[in-house]
Amino acid sequence: MAENKKVLVIGGGFSGLTAAVETAEAGSEVIIVEKTPFFGGRVTQLNKYFPKLCPPNCGLEINFKRIKNSGDVAYHTLAEVEKITGQEGAFEVTVKIKPRYVNDKCVGCNACAEACPVEMPNEFNFGLDTTKAAYITHNQAFPFIYAIDDRYCKGKACGKCAEACKYNAIDLDMKPETITLKVSSIILAAGWDLYDVSKLDNLGGGKIKNVITNMQMERLASPNGPTAGKVLRPSDGKEVKNIAFVQCAGSRDENHLPYCSFICCMASLKQATYVREQYPDAKAEIFYIDIRTPGRYEQFYWKVKDDPNVTLTKGKVAGITEDPATGDVILEAEDIFGGKKIRRSFDMVVLAAGMVPSTKNSKIPVEVSLTPDGFVLPATLQKGIYAVGTLKSPVDVAKSVQDATGVAIKSIQSARR
Amino acid sequence: MSEQIKPDLKFINSVINAGGESLKKCFQCATCSVVCKVTPDDKPFPRKEMVQAQWGLKDKLLSNPDIWLCHQCSDCTAYCPRGAKPGEVLGAIRKLSIEHYAFPSFVGKAVADPKFLLLTFAVPVLIFGAVLMALGNLKIPDGEIVYAEKFMPVPVIDAVFIMSAIFAMIGFGVGITRYWKDLTSGTKVKGLPMAAIMATVTEFLAHKKFKTCEETVDRSRSHLFTFYGFVGLAITTTWAIVYLYGMQWLSPYPLRDPMKIFGNLSAASLLIGITLVIINRLKHAEKAGSGSYFDWLFIGVIFTIVTTGLLSEILRLLHVPVLAYPVYFIHLVVVFFLFAYAPFSKMAHMVYRTTALVYAKHTGRDKA
Amino acid sequence: MEKKFGVYICKGCGIGETVDIEKLKKNTAGGARVPAEQIKEHGILCSPEGLELIRNDVKEGTNTIIVGACSPRVKFEEFDFPGTLTERVNLREFVSWTQEPMTEATQTLAEDYLKMGVIKTQKGNLPEPNILPDLSNAIMVIGGGISGLTAALEAANAGYQVTLVEKEAELGGWSAKLYKEAPRQYPYEKLDEPMIFDKIKEVEAHQNIKVYKSTTIEKTDGQPGLFDVTLAANGASETIKVGAFIMAAGWKPYDATKLVHLGYGNPNVITSVQMEEMAKKGKIIRPSDGKEAKKVAFIQCAGSRDANHLPYCSSFCCATSLKQAQYVREKNSDAVAMIFYKDIRTPGQSELFYKNMQNNPGVLLTKAEVSAITDAGNGNLYVEADHTFLGEKIQVEADLVVLAIGVVPATRAPQEYLDGLTEAGKKGDDAKKAYVDETAKPDFILNLNYKQGPELPTLEGAYGFADSNFICFQYETRRTGIYSAGCVRQPMNMAEAAQDAAGAALKAIQCVEHVATGTAVHPRAWDQTFPDPMMIKCTSCKRCTDECPFGAIDEDAKGTPFFRVNRCRRCATCLGACPERIVSFKDFSVDIVGSMLKAIDINEDDFRILVLACENDAYPALDSAAIKRMKISPSVRIIPVRCLGATNLVWVTDAFSTGIDGVLLLGCKYGENYQCHFVKGSELANYRFSKVQETLNKLQLEAERCQLIQVSISEYDKLPQIINDFVARVEEIGPNPFKDL
């Protein structure tokens, strides 16, 4: 197939992967560039999907298999697009590939990580624990090749990993390289970041130990997370028997994110089941403005609501303080239908933090208009360039998959024009 | 039994026009009730007032004591996720409440409406203008500046102000009686709750409630200066009456006279207070809202009173008759405005808020 | 093809330190009858030197390669030798990383695995795709609403011939009946003009699209690439050939006559659909007397989110009512629109639309449980509501009440009819006949001539929506080549439906492209193998026709199963179902697996447990446990299967009769929220498994020797324990008495 008939997918999260494999299976060659060392994006950090409560790695595994079996999907990790020139049918894309310091000879034996003396904050676990500077995020990661984080690694001065590796896979001299790709169309799938909860000054975000984000909660509940799946609170490792979820932590709030982040209601309902499943006597309370469970998600809402140990309280939490003696967290809200202002104490509190398009934290390398909130306005994209998923609006995995599949046909059309 | 709800679009629009233009943005999340430091825990405000106003439930709002428990700290406005500015909306409702209980009601409407701004000022201008014309004092007098002797005789001023004070008292009397009736209708409250009145007054003197504001904590200070400035000026006025009628001692009084010192200090307090009010308002405009016509009219009047009052004195001492007399004239006009229209302007908050607080204290509604 | 074998053993990743490689080689040469010189070892087989070793042999004619190294999930690019039959034997994860080094049990385990790998290649063959002749790559779109039109345009713009079938006389569906649309993009301030009319023009002018109006599908015969569709219009019929379908048959409003408690029946109570018509005509009026409506109440969730009616949320009604509130206000500035909602659901950026509409002075909202709509006596109505922001129990007068009516997919009525038919059928032929006579037959959509029924099987418990059960794979259906889009799949708004339709169009073109190369579509995309039954041995028991999750097997006139290979997804459920064991794939058959398990070394002193593991989830989970260096009993022999549904019971009986002490089946979750990638595979395995118990009884073996466990990929942390517990239980029961025989 001619070089310029290829499709470039920027972003290797679930949207990007889907767009890539769907495009490839419809007959175009695809190149994916992912800026981190591993594929799967946010989805890999989730314990379970709503509403099926099934593990995201299941679908990821299939998609990785699709990449392996296709032969039409090439990929680059640690790769960032620097420049795009040209037009539909003849884009020239400059991609900078950062060094991984580990080459393809890596067998994934973990010897480098064992030898590495540097502990660094584990970003995959949102800082809930630490990891080595030579690391792999989890045991189903793809590609299954370790990476070395040069922000923390001491380089050749240390070199312990290179000594430990029997497979000649460590190359601490690795340099960044720049490659040029010729493609016919481009799919932007750069995804989202979690809203910085430290901006929520009245909710103790980032300040109170036992106030965590919904994404941290996913890590806590994941078998490959910092607590091997046990929901334990950060301050003292106590089992969480009494948990609260604060909905719209940042979302639907002009002072923070004026839009609704779509996923947080379902995510909190889901996370309530994590705790309820682990601790049969545990109680969960969800404070909300509106419960948004569109379509058949409603059934999941009913199921969780029917649990007598789960309480849904209409009223936004507007104050969170810590009980310094116990580490417990005290929430303040108006129980609107109870007609009272309430203060309740919990073992741990989860902030259902919102979604921020990744354009807010890193510029996308194309000319496009964004909404003030950073979402791509698709109509302003150059012909042959398409945006997908959470770059355009906050959506869940299911909607991202629909969108990514739909965008795949656009890229096919571009390739065939 | 269900309660009949009668939405009133006119009332909704009047709240919007009275400075509550953000009213409709509220989506009932209750952040406001939670961040409010002065609301009671039971049936807290201002969330419920917001929805009542959104639906135009006039009857529920105008006689609602909770709108006066609000001190417009604007914590709610700062944290409101929707930009609905509950502080401003409650301010607007208070304005409408004042207008609603105003007697005579056409004066209430006139004071509340910027359309009638000129007309409301025209009244004192015409009264004082007529007096000056009658006395033949329309020209700037020569020689040493003596306002009472050469320009506006004190008995005339007294007569005008006593009349306007009586007008205001009647206005307040009728308004408050109606308000109290609405407040207590359907409740067991009878007679005057003296204990609650005392408690309200003591609390008020220390501005206890005001100090709980977080977002605009500096407001309690400015209000305190303004309030005690007024108190001081009231005492000064009484003092002057004693000098004038008791001791037959005509103004102007020497600067070292204790009454003069006290009066000037009070004026200074008022000036500091009202200037801080303005500064705070501007400083907090983004978070707390920029305020309505009703607010700014009141602030403007006080600011003009204190500045023209002080200027009258300074210009007199500096002997600039060309400016001194007109400034003094303006001073009289705005003082008249403040007195005569007290039951219809924001000044009325003094009385309505006190009444509401008394009621709240008496019924246990007030937060301890 | 004459097979020339090459066995390559890697000593890296601890394999060399865990297993005696020389012994392993010797055993393989003997046990699997491979010439000793064709068994080679290397320190690091995946290194350039190691790979060179293999490539040189390939050049020399080696065409059947057994790589005894790591899991096939890794190093797939390295161990890719085109044109060869390559088998990866997982010595690293299943031996080196999960076993005690250098014990006899570990050694036997490695020897068994390598032997099994060799046998698999001895029995298997290189696949060749089965490309059927005269394939069509044309796409048929059912439905001319927003979804159908979009799907047609997308497929046509990608270069495919499209036939669009609409049962109504005009294109446009519900979209064409709208007065305005809720804004589609930022800043979500102004209502948009409906976009449908431009789409209709574009479709009608497109050279790749042929439109059939007032047309329905009488019959659909065949399989992907070869569908013969008989269209019926005005009494005439025409048959055309297409490759794949997009089914966008849309939705109907919920039957409002069932909403008597919400006042429907009173002329001044209308549905949101009627409201659009009214707004399109002009004024918003009180239908009873034509007076302009000034107090309009919108009742949200009319039918939706209601256990007695539609137990789901219809998704777009909140935005619709906000939009219609705007109609009320726009047409009469004195009018108020009152919205009574359970929750306002304007997810994502449509929150901004809510905010903008809400800011209108005459749009009033409250959360409420509307208990009744009653007559106010003057032609007006009272909305009676509980739990509102305005009071516990309130009553509000309205001159017009609009019910935000819920969505019912077009697939629901046929589904209900067919479910009823199945139920009746269970009671006997008479009951079935009575059902057919007495029940009004709804409009069918596809009229498939499939043994398993005429319509797309909708998801169980999905209230008739033809949705996918897979979060990751939104367009999965149980009829290959037929993809649903729009409100037939889920309740969704116009913009979402358009987006959804594009996705379905992509899946349809993927399908025609894949059948053109004789390869499978998702989830075994690119698989060239296919079921190749030895029909002369078929007894026409029809188990395969019943069990195939994708309806790929029909029957001919005599009742003999007939494989429609382009419908097949290669899960091999038919292989598992067939009691005559006649279904084979080139690399997977009853014989292959049977031979593999018979190669297991049976030792009188030791236990042997066979684990049949689903390769989609259980196998990666086992790998993941190995990466964590979790220990698994050395008695266990793992054989991956395409899907647990591919498990033929003969393997179980074979295993026990050769002396294996226990059989553990590891498959995906089935039932509600099933995770099986082939929908029914693991469930069918479980169904068959219940029959195993009978077999075991016949053999006078304990039922506990065989167990089926559902595992997900993320349960790798529990899996070793699950397996080891099973081993312990079997050990408690004691050795298989057949061992001695």
Side-chain angles (χ1 to χ4, degrees):
Chain A
M1 191 172 287
E3 170 99 336
N4 63 358
K5 287 295 171 193
K6 289 181 178 174
V7 174
L8 172 69
V9 177
I10 303 174
F14 211 91
S15 293
L17 287 171
T18 302
V21 290
E22 296 295 355
T23 303
E25 286 177 17
S28 271
E29 278 188 60
V30 182
I31 307 163
I32 323 177
V33 295
E34 161 60 39
K35 73 173 180 190
T36 75
F38 304 100
F39 285 99
R42 295 282 164 229
V43 155
T44 47
Q45 293 171 303
L46 304 178
N47 176 37
K48 290 176 183 178
Y49 279 144
F50 57 74
K52 272 177 74 182
L53 301 178
C54 56
N57 280 322
C58 161
L60 278 170
E61 178 75 19
I62 294 276
N63 280 346
F64 296 150
K65 203 190 248 180
R66 288 164 84 182
I67 290 178
K68 295 172 193 172
N69 291 344
S70 136
D72 282 342
V73 184
Y75 55 85
H76 301 282
T77 54
L78 287 159
E80 270 185 271
V81 172
E82 290 199 320
K83 204 172 78 190
I84 296 174
T85 55
Q87 65 281 321
E88 183 183 50
F91 286 112
E92 205 169 281
V93 184
T94 315
V95 180
K96 188 179 171 188
I97 300 176
K98 288 195 281 179
R100 190 184 194 98
Y101 305 103
V102 182
N103 61 35
D104 291 351
K105 291 178 187 161
C106 172
V107 297
C109 69
N110 202 44
C112 54
E114 276 166 36
C116 177
V118 182
E119 291 275 346
M120 61 173 193
N122 190 345
E123 282 173 17
F124 186 70
N125 288 343
F126 297 95
L128 287 169
D129 64 352
T130 60
T131 183
K132 295 291 185 67
Y135 71 103
I136 199 154
T137 46
H138 65 104
N139 56 357
Q140 286 162 348
F142 179 81
F144 203 75
I145 296 174
Y146 278 63
I148 291 172
D149 191 326
D150 56 14
R151 291 170 302 170
Y152 296 91
C153 171
K154 292 181 192 128
K156 290 186 91 173
C158 165
K160 291 213 169 74
C161 51
E163 276 166 43
C165 181
K166 291 183 201 159
Y167 304 93
N168 241 340
I170 308 278
D171 178 1
L172 294 168
D173 286 328
M174 216 181 256
K175 295 278 176 294
E177 41 171 329
T178 303
I179 57 168
T180 309
L181 303 171
K182 290 200 170 84
V183 295
S184 64
S185 67
I186 298 168
I187 296 174
L188 307 171
W192 61 280
D193 296 307
L194 198 66
Y195 186 63
D196 177 5
V197 292
S198 69
K199 292 181 185 161
L200 304 166
D201 59 352
N202 57 333
L203 300 183
K207 272 183 244 117
I208 301 174
K209 268 195 177 152
N210 294 327
V211 175
I212 64 167
T213 67
N214 40 5
M215 282 305 282
Q216 286 178 319
M217 181 65 179
E218 290 296 329
R219 299 311 304 142
L220 276 186
S222 286
N224 59 22
T227 53
K230 285 288 271 180
V231 181
L232 307 172
R233 69 181 192 180
S235 73
D236 52 8
K238 204 180 110 177
E239 291 185 346
V240 176
K241 296 292 181 66
N242 185 13
I243 190 166
F245 295 88
V246 175
Q247 295 312 108
C248 299
S251 305
R252 302 183 72 186
D253 188 335
E254 279 192 342
N255 306 318
H256 303 281
L257 311 172
Y259 50 87
C260 155
S261 292
F262 194 107
I263 57 164
C264 333
C265 281
M266 282 298 281
S268 292
L269 290 164
K270 172 187 72 173
Q271 292 177 354
T273 70
Y274 294 170
V275 178
R276 292 287 302 120
E277 213 168 86
Q278 253 178 47
Y279 308 116
D281 54 339
K283 286 190 160 59
E285 184 162 4
I286 300 173
F287 293 88
Y288 69 95
I289 305 173
D290 292 289
I291 289 289
R292 291 186 167 171
T293 52
R296 289 196 291 115
Y297 288 165
E298 182 72 4
Q299 278 300 303
F300 185 73
Y301 170 36
W302 289 11
K303 210 165 80 187
V304 177
K305 195 173 64 171
D306 282 348
D307 180 339
N309 280 14
V310 176
T311 313
L312 285 120
T313 303
K314 161 92 184 157
K316 185 174 153 94
V317 172
I320 300 185
T321 47
E322 186 179 27
D323 178 346
T326 58
D328 290 352
V329 186
I330 300 151
L331 295 200
E332 248 186 294
E334 182 190 348
D335 174 2
I336 293 179
F337 290 109
K340 270 192 182 66
K341 214 159 134 171
I342 49 173
R343 280 163 208 83
R344 281 187 195 142
S345 176
F346 296 91
D347 292 340
M348 188 169 84
V349 167
V350 177
L351 300 180
M355 218 184 235
V356 181
S358 60
T359 60
K360 280 277 172 188
N361 296 325
S362 53
K363 201 180 165 302
I364 50 170
V366 292
E367 290 268 331
V368 63
S369 298
L370 304 175
T371 72
D373 307 316
F375 291 108
V376 168
L377 288 164
T380 66
L381 282 164
Q382 190 187 344
K383 197 173 177 202
I385 302 182
Y386 310 99
V388 58
T390 49
L391 265 190
K392 290 189 293 189
S393 207
V395 282
D396 61 356
V397 179
K399 285 250 185 292
S400 298
V401 169
Q402 285 170 31
D403 192 22
T405 315
V407 162
I409 200 168
K410 305 266 185 198
S411 73
I412 296 275
Q413 289 164 2
S414 286
R416 290 181 186 174
R417 261 197 283 266
Chain B
M1 194 46 211
S2 14
E3 179 189 0
Q4 270 260 356
I5 297 290
K6 288 186 177 150
D8 180 344
L9 185 56
K10 273 198 197 123
F11 183 72
I12 298 168
N13 280 321
S14 61
V15 177
I16 290 171
N17 294 330
E21 63 267 12
S22 52
L23 155 76
K24 291 292 301 170
K25 292 181 180 170
C26 167
F27 63 1
Q28 293 287 295
C29 70
T31 295
C32 48
S33 299
V34 180
V35 296
C36 179
K37 294 289 179 295
V38 297
T39 178
D41 284 355
D42 193 40
K43 297 204 176 88
F45 65 82
R47 200 249 330 139
K48 59 184 167 52
E49 284 68 24
M50 290 300 283
V51 72
Q52 287 164 356
Q54 286 186 324
W55 279 70
L57 307 184
K58 188 175 168 180
D59 300 342
K60 284 198 179 199
L61 284 169
L62 297 180
S63 62
N64 179 350
D66 286 4
I67 61 171
W68 291 108
L69 297 188
C70 163
H71 283 52
Q72 209 170 348
C73 311
S74 300
D75 288 6
C76 52
T77 296
Y79 280 95
C80 175
R82 209 62 161 176
K85 301 183 181 160
E88 299 269 281
V89 172
L90 257 63
I93 298 168
R94 285 192 291 269
K95 176 202 160 183
L96 293 175
S97 181
I98 290 170
E99 198 182 319
H100 176 75
Y101 290 108
F103 175 82
S105 64
F106 71 91
V107 188
K109 284 206 176 63
V111 175
D113 192 337
K115 269 196 304 222
F116 299 110
L117 179 65
L118 283 179
L119 186 70
T120 46
F121 273 104
V123 174
V125 170
L126 287 176
I127 292 173
F128 289 118
V131 170
L132 290 182
M133 202 188 291
L135 294 173
N137 286 355
L138 272 175
K139 274 186 289 180
I140 305 283
D142 297 330
E144 200 189 340
I145 299 170
V146 186
Y147 294 126
E149 196 178 309
K150 296 187 180 171
F151 193 60
M152 189 69 74
V154 173
V156 175
I157 294 176
D158 286 347
V160 173
F161 283 139
I162 286 167
M163 291 301 284
S164 66
I166 290 170
F167 176 69
M169 295 301 270
I170 293 169
F172 270 131
V174 176
I176 286 304
T177 313
R178 284 183 190 170
Y179 181 54
W180 186 256
K181 219 175 102 194
D182 282 356
L183 270 183
T184 53
S185 85
T187 69
K188 287 175 197 151
V189 180
K190 284 209 174 82
L192 278 184
M194 287 319 288
I197 292 173
M198 286 313 293
T200 305
V201 171
T202 24
E203 184 184 276
F204 182 62
L205 289 177
H207 274 47
K208 249 200 252 162
K209 226 173 224 132
F210 226 139
K211 285 180 186 152
T212 54
C213 288
E214 273 183 3
E215 197 52 49
T216 56
V217 66
D218 35 16
R219 281 185 56 226
S220 73
R221 201 178 335 131
S222 56
H223 193 270
L224 206 62
F225 271 113
T226 313
F227 172 69
Y228 279 108
F230 265 119
V231 171
L233 288 172
I235 294 169
T236 311
T237 309
T238 323
W239 204 330
I241 288 168
V242 174
Y243 277 8
L244 182 65
Y245 296 105
M247 302 160 69
Q248 301 290 320
W249 185 6
L250 295 183
S251 64
Y253 307 106
L255 278 176
R256 270 193 237 139
D257 184 89
M259 187 272 284
K260 196 75 190 173
I261 294 170
F262 187 79
N264 280 334
L265 282 176
S266 302
S269 168
L270 185 60
L271 180 64
I272 292 167
I274 198 69
T275 308
L276 287 176
V277 164
I278 293 168
I279 291 169
N280 289 340
R281 284 252 172 193
L282 296 175
K283 192 169 75 186
H284 298 303
E286 203 189 317
K287 273 188 161 180
S290 48
S292 63
Y293 163 73
F294 198 62
D295 294 342
W296 283 108
L297 176 65
F298 183 54
I299 294 168
V301 164
I302 296 174
F303 187 74
T304 316
I305 285 175
V306 65
T307 46
T308 52
L310 285 169
L311 271 177
S312 301
E313 187 178 348
I314 292 163
L315 290 169
R316 175 174 62 80
L317 294 172
L318 294 176
H319 196 75
V320 192
V322 124
L323 290 177
Y325 288 105
V327 167
Y328 183 65
F329 184 79
I330 296 169
H331 183 67
L332 290 177
V333 167
V334 282
V335 171
F336 177 93
F337 191 98
L338 185 74
F339 279 154
Y341 301 146
F344 319 108
S345 77
K346 207 182 169 185
M347 190 72 180
H349 79 277
M350 191 173 78
V351 174
Y352 284 95
R353 169 159 289 138
T354 312
T355 312
L357 281 169
V358 166
Y359 174 79
K361 283 211 183 300
H362 187 62
T363 52
R365 175 83 189 126
D366 188 36
K367 196 185 177 189
Chain C
M1 178 180 95
E2 172 107 8
K3 285 181 193 163
K4 189 180 176 199
F5 291 85
V7 179
Y8 303 90
I9 302 167
C10 179
K11 293 200 288 184
C13 291
I15 300 171
E17 289 90 55
T18 316
V19 181
D20 180 336
I21 301 293
E22 281 312 312
K23 253 178 91 184
L24 178 61
K25 284 165 74 177
K26 208 177 289 168
N27 179 283
T28 311
R33 286 188 218 104
V34 181
E37 67 277 12
Q38 289 173 19
I39 306 175
K40 298 179 183 176
E41 60 179 76
H42 191 275
I44 306 168
L45 197 56
C46 62
S47 66
E49 302 76 32
L51 295 170
E52 202 50 35
L53 176 78
I54 305 175
R55 280 195 207 108
N56 283 338
D57 286 355
V58 172
K59 273 184 218 150
E60 301 287 314
T62 299
N63 57 15
T64 307
I65 298 166
I66 296 94
V67 175
C70 45
S71 163
R73 291 176 60 253
V74 291
K75 300 286 173 195
F76 50 92
E77 280 166 321
E78 285 82 350
F79 295 118
D80 178 28
F81 309 105
T84 69
L85 180 61
T86 301
E87 175 65 16
R88 304 274 304 271
V89 175
N90 194 349
L91 292 182
R92 181 176 80 168
E93 277 80 351
F94 289 174
V95 183
S96 163
W97 285 359
T98 40
Q99 303 302 329
E100 295 300 331
M102 295 300 179
T103 67
E104 206 174 308
T106 302
Q107 184 71 26
T108 321
L109 177 65
E111 289 168 1
D112 276 357
Y113 276 139
L114 201 55
K115 234 177 351 183
M116 285 154 73
V118 175
I119 286 168
K120 189 174 171 193
T121 55
Q122 285 170 341
K123 294 273 176 183
N125 278 303
L126 203 58
E128 288 158 43
N130 183 1
I131 305 172
L132 301 181
D134 302 323
L135 294 166
S136 163
N137 71 352
I139 308 294
M140 174 160 285
V141 176
I142 304 170
I146 187 78
S147 308
L149 293 173
T150 309
L153 283 170
E154 295 294 352
N157 288 338
Y160 296 84
Q161 292 299 319
V162 177
T163 306
L164 188 147
V165 179
E166 166 59 53
K167 72 173 170 25
E168 303 293 331
E170 291 303 327
L171 295 179
W174 291 112
S175 314
K177 297 186 170 69
L178 299 183
Y179 170 52
K180 296 238 171 104
E181 266 182 52
R184 292 184 285 267
Q185 67 171 16
Y186 189 85
Y188 301 90
E189 272 166 2
K190 287 203 188 83
L191 304 186
D192 280 333
E193 292 303 320
M195 61 173 157
I196 193 82
F197 300 104
D198 289 343
K199 286 228 176 200
I200 295 174
K201 270 189 217 142
E202 212 182 327
V203 162
E204 289 187 326
H206 205 295
Q207 56 176 16
N208 289 355
I209 304 175
K210 192 168 180 201
V211 176
Y212 287 80
K213 294 184 215 173
S214 305
T215 303
T216 54
I217 293 175
E218 203 171 81
K219 196 170 89 175
T220 302
D221 239 332
Q223 56 185 322
L226 293 165
F227 284 118
D228 288 313
V229 190
T230 308
L231 302 177
N234 307 320
S237 65
E238 179 184 349
T239 300
I240 57 172
K241 192 163 138 188
V242 298
F245 280 93
I246 295 151
M247 203 262 276
W251 61 283
K252 290 188 173 69
Y254 183 65
D255 180 2
T257 58
K258 291 181 183 161
L259 303 175
V260 183
H261 68 290
L262 295 180
Y264 199 77
N266 182 308
N268 298 333
V269 177
I270 62 171
T271 67
S272 42
V273 173
Q274 293 168 302
M275 181 66 166
E276 291 294 335
E277 286 165 19
M278 189 189 276
K280 209 169 181 177
K281 257 190 249 161
K283 284 188 170 164
I284 306 297
I285 52 159
R286 194 167 79 160
S288 63
D289 56 6
K291 237 178 62 189
E292 226 175 334
K294 290 201 169 174
K295 291 178 273 187
V296 183
F298 291 87
I299 314 300
Q300 295 311 105
C301 304
S304 306
R305 301 183 66 187
D306 184 335
N308 299 321
H309 299 279
L310 304 173
Y312 50 85
C313 159
S314 294
S315 292
F316 58 72
C317 332
C318 281
T320 298
S321 291
L322 288 164
K323 175 187 77 173
Q324 294 183 345
Q326 189 69 10
Y327 297 170
V328 172
R329 294 285 301 148
E330 181 189 290
K331 289 176 188 262
N332 185 349
S333 62
D334 290 340
V336 291
M338 303 170 284
I339 301 179
F340 297 85
Y341 65 82
K342 286 184 186 171
D343 293 279
I344 281 288
R345 290 186 172 171
T346 47
Q349 291 196 86
S350 55
E351 177 70 9
L352 305 179
F353 174 54
Y354 169 34
K355 191 172 155 180
N356 289 328
M357 291 303 112
Q358 189 195 3
N359 205 20
N360 187 317
V363 177
L364 319 180
L365 294 117
T366 182
K367 192 172 160 74
E369 298 286 337
V370 174
S371 52
I373 306 290
T374 55
D375 200 330
N378 52 358
N380 283 355
L381 299 138
Y382 282 132
V383 176
E384 312 272 355
D386 301 340
H387 305 291
T388 74
F389 293 138
L390 304 162
E392 259 310 297
K393 255 188 174 343
I394 61 163
Q395 188 184 59
V396 190
E397 194 176 322
D399 43 19
L400 178 66
V401 171
V402 183
L403 304 181
I405 197 83
V407 168
V408 177
T411 33
R412 178 162 162 176
Q415 174 71 36
E416 282 175 349
Y417 178 84
L418 292 168
D419 287 350
L421 191 64
T422 312
E423 278 307 304
K426 283 181 193 161
K427 291 179 205 145
D429 287 348
D430 289 344
K432 196 170 168 179
K433 193 178 171 300
Y435 179 83
V436 172
D437 290 344
E438 286 159 20
T439 319
K441 191 180 158 197
D443 292 337
F444 279 14
I445 299 161
L446 289 157
N447 279 305
L448 296 170
N449 189 20
Y450 277 42
K451 172 79 191 341
Q452 287 186 3
E455 293 297 315
L456 199 62
T458 59
L459 194 57
E460 276 166 50
Y463 321 105
F465 285 104
D467 200 358
S468 161
N469 181 51
F470 301 100
I471 289 153
C472 298
F473 313 111
Q474 284 290 301
Y475 297 95
E476 278 296 276
T477 65
R478 289 180 55 196
R479 293 294 174 260
T480 310
I482 305 176
Y483 303 95
S484 57
C487 278
V488 78
R489 213 158 76 69
Q490 291 158 5
M492 57 180 84
N493 66 28
M494 301 284 159
E496 288 168 328
Q499 197 176 308
D500 194 40
L506 188 270
K507 295 307 286 188
I509 69 171
Q510 256 181 9
C511 179
V512 295
E513 292 299 330
H514 278 244
V515 297
T517 59
T519 57
V521 294
H522 186 87
R524 290 185 65 89
W526 312 107
D527 186 359
Q528 294 183 327
T529 68
F530 56 91
D532 193 5
M534 193 187 281
M535 290 310 296
I536 44 167
K537 286 168 80 182
C538 174
T539 61
S540 301
C541 74
K542 295 169 192 170
R543 244 177 247 174
C544 56
T545 57
D546 281 348
E547 290 194 6
C548 175
F550 305 100
I553 309 165
D554 280 344
E555 285 160 18
D556 66 12
K558 288 183 221 148
T560 312
F562 181 82
F563 280 62
R564 306 272 195 180
V565 74
N566 284 0
R567 293 184 199 163
C568 170
R569 305 283 266 279
R570 280 73 166 175
C571 60
T573 294
C574 50
L575 180 155
C578 182
E580 298 303 312
R581 307 161 222 171
I582 66 165
V583 183
S584 300
F585 294 71
K586 280 271 158 64
D587 63 352
F588 187 70
S589 67
V590 177
D591 181 35
I592 291 174
V593 176
S595 305
M596 284 166 79
L597 68 89
K598 282 175 199 154
I600 295 169
D601 172 76
I602 305 295
N603 186 319
E604 277 177 37
D605 306 326
D606 216 344
F607 283 83
R608 286 291 174 265
I609 307 293
L610 174 68
V611 173
L612 294 169
C614 159
E615 65 177 34
N616 299 303
D617 282 55
Y619 193 92
L622 286 161
D623 264 4
S624 308
I627 289 166
K628 291 269 168 201
R629 310 296 197 274
M630 297 171 95
K631 296 286 177 219
I632 292 176
S633 162
S635 318
V636 168
R637 304 292 182 268
I638 300 160
I639 298 181
V641 290
R642 291 183 168 210
C643 169
L644 209 57
T647 306
N648 195 301
L649 286 191
V650 74
W651 296 334
V652 179
T653 26
D654 280 358
F656 286 118
S657 55
T658 56
I660 284 173
D661 305 279
V663 177
L664 182 61
L665 310 178
L666 297 177
C668 299
K669 190 175 183 308
Y670 53 79
E672 191 201 8
N673 291 334
Y674 59 82
Q675 291 167 24
C676 174
H677 290 280
F678 297 101
V679 184
K680 290 276 167 194
S682 59
E683 186 177 330
L684 289 165
N686 186 51
Y687 164 74
R688 283 179 219 145
F689 174 78
S690 60
K691 313 269 178 198
V692 167
Q693 310 299 342
E694 290 167 29
T695 316
L696 290 175
N697 288 342
K698 267 185 222 154
L699 294 169
Q700 293 189 308
L701 286 171
E702 299 77 3
E704 297 77 32
R705 285 186 190 276
C706 187
Q707 202 181 343
L708 182 148
I709 290 175
Q710 304 173 58
V711 287
S712 82
I713 195 167
S714 62
E715 286 172 309
Y716 62 84
D717 56 331
K718 300 188 191 88
L719 196 47
Q721 194 61 48
I722 290 171
I723 294 173
N724 295 341
D725 286 349
F726 177 73
V727 175
R729 279 199 300 278
V730 172
E731 282 175 353
E732 233 167 75
I733 299 167
N736 177 352
F738 288 91
K739 243 188 239 263
D740 305 330
L741 304 174

